[in-house]
Amino acid sequence: MEKFLRFPISGSTFILVSVTNIALISQLTGTTTAIYYKSGGSATDVVTITHASLVNDGFRDFVQNQVLAALETSWTNVALTVAPPVAVSGIAIS
């Protein structure tokens, strides 16, 4: 069963981010965190989350903990609504 994190976006709505096939979560800067997915062969998809400043890998740690929480829920709970420690302004897929 596919699982998702449901992120609130400032001034907008919610965006679902998959927690399936994650290879790595990395805080690139104080305001961006990337989730890398293994997508077959040597290809990698990346979801980049832009958020308010949070240092010392704080947002990465938050995302990792939310992924674990989502995976621990019942198979009938496919989307875990998260409450980030700072505002999220956007999510981009590449």
Side-chain angles (χ1 to χ4, degrees):
M1 172 62 65
E2 183 99 15
K3 297 279 190 149
F4 298 91
L5 298 180
R6 187 172 181 253
F7 277 92
I9 305 300
S10 298
S12 185
T13 184
F14 290 86
I15 292 182
L16 294 175
V17 174
S18 176
V19 300
T20 304
N21 294 326
I22 292 176
L24 175 70
I25 301 170
S26 176
Q27 188 158 336
L28 306 175
T29 69
T31 60
T32 57
T33 299
I35 303 172
Y36 297 89
Y37 296 87
K38 181 151 178 53
S39 59
S42 61
T44 303
D45 293 326
V46 181
V47 168
T48 303
I49 304 168
T50 304
H51 50 81
S53 184
L54 194 59
V55 295
N56 298 327
D57 294 326
F59 203 85
R60 182 208 59 196
D61 294 346
F62 165 77
V63 173
Q64 286 182 162
N65 290 335
Q66 297 308 297
V67 166
L68 292 174
L71 293 173
E72 290 174 346
T73 64
S74 166
W75 68 272
T76 59
N77 297 329
V78 296
L80 176 67
T81 301
V82 300
V86 294
V88 173
S89 58
I91 296 178
I93 303 169
S94 59

